[in-house]
Amino acid sequence: MDGVELAPLRPLNDFLLEGARFQVPNFNDLERYSNRIINNLLYYQTNYFLSTIFLFLCVGFYYPVQMVTGIVIITLAFLAFVYFTNNTSEWRRLKAKHPIISVLTVLFVTYVLTRAIGAIFVFLFGLLLPIALTIIHASLRMRNINNKIARFKEYVGLKRTPMGVILEALGQEQEAGS
């Protein structure tokens, strides 16, 4: 990520308190609504990153065992998915040679996932709560002139930030000033 610099941390007064202006967006004008979200994601990105980390850690602090268990299970499920999708011929041979072991493996994995569903939900809650709050804040926070200037700098390439790189990867490049 050459040339990417972290955006400054915006003051709490501007981000959330007295200086902040909030309004329900006009959902009939989706282009303007989308621009509001993108502008706010770019302008308040450091605040959003810190808020996300803080909320994730709070959930982890409140439910430490479930959070760690959820992280481990989700990671193992992802690794198993990658392994089995890349080694399907080996898995088919194993199922053909040892059908009882295959059935017992499926039953064991089902049992573990059923017992750990609460931990998985805690992990997903810790992950999705900050994302939901970020989207809600970005949707309701009205843009200001500094916000528009930061968006213009990102668009013309004067400044590249982590959120700009993420939005670009998601195909959310927009015309400046819109």
Side-chain angles (χ1 to χ4, degrees):
M1 292 234 248
D2 195 28
V4 176
E5 59 184 80
L6 196 61
L9 182 65
R10 306 298 175 188
L12 188 60
N13 187 36
D14 178 36
F15 181 62
L16 210 53
L17 301 176
E18 295 110 29
R21 295 181 354 215
F22 295 95
Q23 182 180 33
V24 176
N26 180 5
F27 294 108
N28 295 328
D29 189 357
L30 292 179
E31 184 177 344
R32 187 176 171 116
Y33 174 58
S34 175
N35 286 334
R36 177 191 278 193
I37 291 175
I38 289 170
N39 283 329
N40 284 330
L41 286 174
L42 288 170
Y43 187 68
Y44 295 111
Q45 63 186 283
T46 305
N47 297 68
Y48 290 143
F49 286 138
L50 291 176
S51 299
T52 298
I53 291 169
F54 176 74
L55 289 170
F56 186 79
L57 291 175
C58 283
V59 173
F61 181 73
Y62 197 66
Y63 299 104
V65 174
Q66 293 91 336
M67 182 65 91
V68 171
T69 305
I71 290 170
V72 167
I73 289 174
I74 295 291
T75 302
L76 290 175
F78 176 74
L79 292 174
F81 173 77
V82 169
Y83 175 78
F84 291 126
T85 56
N86 290 333
N87 299 311
T88 54
S89 61
E90 291 178 25
W91 180 244
R92 285 187 187 140
R93 273 188 263 131
L94 178 71
K95 287 192 308 186
K97 287 183 180 179
H98 308 288
I100 293 175
I101 292 175
S102 299
V103 171
L104 290 176
T105 303
V106 169
L107 289 174
F108 177 73
V109 168
T110 303
Y111 172 76
V112 168
L113 289 176
T114 304
R115 294 288 295 172
I117 197 76
I120 293 169
F121 282 146
V122 167
F123 169 70
L124 292 175
F125 179 74
L127 195 63
L128 297 176
L129 175 68
I131 293 171
L133 291 178
T134 297
I135 292 171
I136 290 169
H137 183 274
S139 296
L140 298 177
R141 179 69 170 88
M142 294 177 66
R143 296 181 286 178
N144 58 28
I145 192 68
N146 291 335
N147 188 312
K148 293 176 183 178
I149 290 170
R151 172 68 179 117
F152 181 75
K153 285 180 180 178
E154 182 77 32
Y155 177 75
V156 296
L158 296 175
K159 185 176 187 182
R160 287 186 45 90
T161 60
M163 185 65 76
V165 171
I166 292 170
L167 290 173
E168 187 178 315
L170 294 173
Q172 294 300 315
E173 304 94 7
Q174 302 255 331
E175 294 180 19
S178 56

